[in-house]
Amino acid sequence: MAQHVVILDFGAQYTQLIARRVRENGVYSEVVPFNRAARALAAPGVKGVILSGGPASVIETGTPRVPDAVIQAGVPVLGICYGQQAMVSLLGGKVEKAKHREFGRAFLDVIADSPLFDGVWRRAGREQVWMSHGDTVTELPPGFRVVGTSEGAPFAAIADESRKLYGVQFHPEVVHTPHGGALLRNFTHRICGCSGDWTMAKFRDQEIARIRAQVGKGKVICGLSGGVDSAVVAVLLYEAIGDQVTCILVDNGLLRDGEAKTVVDLFRSSYDIPLVHRDAADMFLGRLAGVTDPERKRKIIGNTFIEVFDEEAGKIGGASFLAQGTLYPDVIESVSFVGGPSATIKSHHNVGGLPEKMNLKLVEPLRELFKDEVRVLGRELGLPEQFVGRHPFPGPGLAIRVPGEITHERLAILRHVDRVYLEEIRSAGLYDAIWQAFAVLLPVRTVGVMGDERSYDFACSLRAVTSTDGMTAEAFAFPHEFLSRVSSRIVNEVRGVNRVLYDVTSKPPGTIEWE
């Protein structure tokens, strides 16, 4: 294996963000559960190890520990948050409950020179970092020195230069530590000696080889949802194994206006990929009739999807693999990576789990990537920009954007609102500046006056957020003129809506899901 950095996962929500930052610096990284370190470190090409954060406490018994193999490997090590504390504990230092806990923005005072800070933070400088800890290091192991402090962490950055062991209490991987990416680059390039020549093209070649090795001459079924994730998986699979893959698009009647036709046209005209299109809208909407609880909606949609998908897969015959566009945010929403690979199918296909009767093995080539990395891979594969740049769209689709009962009338109203909203966003040249934009048909009616008549119609809410990786998000700040224009169009053109609201909710660090 080519040179790479091993990232030991102690269960942190942001573990894969570390891998993402490392890859941005042109270094391949492999995320491995902490209890599988020995095998990962025995592989050729390991240039360094990063210990992730985690939700546990080193002070408590039975919590994850740094394996001896990490130190014995003789390669540079960087411990982050829990990873720093676990390394300190292993090497004879002391960790205690913090007298002053730090959660959120903090400031690091650099008090000594270190290659970790070269060209990033100057000595005697103060820099913003992101903290999230209730424990803190109170005594260093032999050989370590302090190179950075904060108000709540007197050992916020430590180093043992002779053994190339480093630890930071803060999180350099998150965007809230502005120069964190450069710090990680110092570790991988200056300290570990990585050349930084890994690219998405290499990832594509690597995954193609991995798919061929996993699948062999077997047949693969790929579930298309209409989004960029499943589209990229389908094209990647086709490049790897050709017509051994067959795609299935289940139209659940909850897609955006013209969504199914767009997907079918792309894969049948632009690509020679076998595609089955099943229109099951009546079945889905029939089972959702009268259901208002959002979790019941998800279960019904998931179970029905599997039923239809299983039926269509059975018609193909001979398939032994199921491919899906699972991304890392999908993985952490279902199970910590520490517990090993998830066997739960992506929620937009099935929120009830992968039925054993299907007897299919999963192929998930994107499960360690973030959405924007998938877009880069899509461009590498030559996918049209209309697919690569599409906003995320949840699998339950419009079902979770129609709170309350789902009816044909309400779906038609929402599709019209959604179409107008996206038309205006594209017309204003804002589509690519927004991570995700959508409309919600609220389960309330409001009284209004339109012309000389009183109206009693639905209110709708518009939402748009910006994000880099889908882990955190901020509300997009539309100009007032835009909101006025789109609201006027919706009220004038969409029968059944007489009020438009704009949702300014953001997704702060530490939360998982927003839709």
Side-chain angles (χ1 to χ4, degrees):
M1 182 183 291
Q3 59 176 220
H4 63 285
V5 170
V6 172
I7 299 170
L8 292 190
D9 181 16
F10 289 93
Q13 181 181 346
Y14 297 140
T15 296
Q16 197 68 14
L17 276 178
I18 303 172
R20 168 194 165 83
R21 301 297 176 225
V22 171
R23 288 197 294 262
E24 286 175 347
N25 288 322
V27 177
Y28 179 68
S29 58
E30 181 181 9
V31 178
V32 179
F34 74 95
N35 53 6
R36 302 181 192 172
R39 181 176 180 180
L41 293 174
V46 177
K47 302 287 285 183
V49 178
I50 298 178
L51 312 175
S52 84
S57 171
V58 172
I59 300 170
E60 299 175 2
T61 59
T63 52
R65 304 291 158 168
V66 176
D68 292 335
V70 171
I71 306 301
Q72 294 169 356
V75 297
V77 180
L78 172 63
I80 295 175
C81 195
Y82 183 90
Q84 180 211 44
Q85 297 168 7
M87 180 173 63
V88 165
S89 179
L90 172 70
L91 297 175
K94 184 179 292 185
V95 178
E96 298 179 304
K97 287 292 181 185
K99 295 179 181 179
H100 180 87
R101 300 185 305 169
E102 291 178 302
F103 292 96
R105 185 176 289 105
F107 292 92
L108 178 78
D109 292 310
V110 179
I111 65 172
D113 293 329
S114 169
L116 204 60
F117 297 145
D118 284 352
V120 184
W121 295 324
R122 67 186 185 280
R123 184 173 180 176
R126 168 167 281 201
E127 295 290 338
Q128 177 183 311
V129 296
W130 188 262
M131 293 281 193
S132 180
H133 68 100
D135 298 341
T136 188
V137 175
T138 56
E139 185 178 319
L140 291 180
F144 279 84
R145 64 190 178 98
V146 185
V147 294
T149 66
S150 71
E151 182 178 351
F155 302 99
I158 60 176
D160 179 340
E161 307 289 3
S162 64
R163 290 185 289 178
K164 295 187 177 181
L165 305 179
Y166 302 86
V168 294
Q169 183 61 70
F170 56 91
H171 289 271
E173 70 272 24
V174 302
V175 296
H176 308 282
T177 300
H179 297 106
L183 184 150
L184 290 172
R185 180 182 176 86
N186 275 346
F187 178 72
T188 57
H189 289 62
R190 292 174 181 259
I191 296 172
C192 297
C194 295
S195 59
D197 60 353
W198 183 84
T199 63
M200 189 57 75
K202 288 189 176 181
F203 177 85
R204 179 198 64 191
D205 295 341
Q206 166 192 312
E207 287 305 314
I208 286 175
R210 184 179 297 179
I211 290 168
R212 287 171 178 168
Q214 179 184 5
V215 172
K217 296 186 179 299
K219 290 185 178 180
V220 183
I221 297 170
C222 178
L224 279 180
S225 67
V228 62
D229 308 334
S230 60
V232 169
V233 167
V235 175
L236 183 64
L237 282 165
Y238 189 68
E239 189 167 314
I241 57 176
D243 59 10
Q244 288 173 241
V245 60
T246 298
C247 294
I248 299 178
L249 172 64
V250 176
D251 186 348
N252 58 13
L254 302 167
L255 301 177
R256 280 174 158 160
D257 191 40
E259 193 88 8
K261 184 178 185 302
T262 300
V263 176
V264 171
D265 287 349
L266 172 70
F267 282 88
R268 285 184 176 165
S269 60
S270 300
Y271 296 93
D272 191 24
I273 303 178
L275 170 65
V276 175
H277 176 207
R278 169 70 181 275
D279 185 351
D282 290 341
M283 178 187 294
F284 278 85
L285 297 183
R287 294 182 180 182
L288 289 168
V291 178
T292 59
D293 179 73
E295 188 58 25
R296 280 198 62 205
K297 289 180 183 178
R298 288 177 177 273
K299 293 293 185 183
I300 291 171
I301 293 168
N303 291 334
T304 306
F305 175 88
I306 282 296
E307 181 181 330
V308 175
F309 193 89
D310 191 26
E311 181 182 329
E312 294 300 325
K315 296 176 183 177
I316 296 172
S320 51
F321 295 90
L322 171 66
Q324 58 185 31
T326 305
L327 306 189
Y328 181 69
D330 303 315
V331 174
I332 64 170
E333 284 174 10
S334 59
V335 64
S336 168
F337 200 83
V338 170
S342 169
T344 303
I345 193 169
K346 192 172 179 180
S347 63
H348 75 256
H349 288 153
N350 167 36
V351 294
L354 184 63
E356 293 183 4
K357 69 175 183 177
M358 289 187 72
N359 196 30
L360 297 175
K361 301 173 185 176
L362 290 179
V363 178
E364 299 175 310
L366 311 182
R367 66 177 291 119
E368 294 185 11
L369 299 184
F370 287 88
K371 179 74 74 173
D372 57 317
E373 293 178 313
V374 174
R375 297 191 201 284
V376 176
L377 178 58
R379 294 184 180 100
E380 184 70 34
L381 291 165
L383 264 170
E385 191 61 32
Q386 70 174 110
F387 268 85
V388 174
R390 301 183 87 179
H391 292 175
F393 186 66
L398 301 183
I400 58 173
R401 295 177 181 172
V402 180
E405 184 179 4
I406 299 172
T407 65
H408 287 278
E409 176 196 12
R410 291 182 177 184
L411 288 173
I413 293 173
L414 181 57
R415 282 195 180 94
H416 196 169
V417 170
D418 188 71
R419 183 173 70 249
V420 171
Y421 185 32
L422 293 181
E423 283 177 0
E424 286 296 326
I425 287 175
R426 288 192 172 94
S427 178
L430 299 174
Y431 190 86
D432 292 338
I434 296 170
W435 170 270
Q436 186 184 46
F438 59 84
V440 175
L441 189 68
L442 301 177
V444 294
R445 291 179 181 267
T446 63
V447 176
V449 176
M450 302 180 70
D452 295 326
E453 297 180 354
R454 190 180 301 279
S455 66
Y456 183 60
D457 290 320
F458 288 105
C460 72
S461 173
L462 306 181
R463 190 172 195 196
V465 294
T466 59
S467 179
T468 300
D469 44 44
M471 302 293 287
T472 62
E474 298 290 339
F476 184 79
F478 282 116
H480 176 75
E481 293 76 11
F482 173 88
L483 294 175
S484 177
R485 183 170 61 253
V486 72
S487 299
S488 178
R489 273 199 65 189
I490 290 171
V491 171
N492 287 330
E493 297 179 23
V494 183
R495 291 187 177 275
V497 173
N498 67 0
R499 193 173 303 277
V500 179
L501 310 173
Y502 180 55
D503 183 353
V504 296
T505 306
S506 294
K507 179 193 173 187
T511 61
I512 293 181
E513 185 176 21
W514 43 267
E515 291 179 316

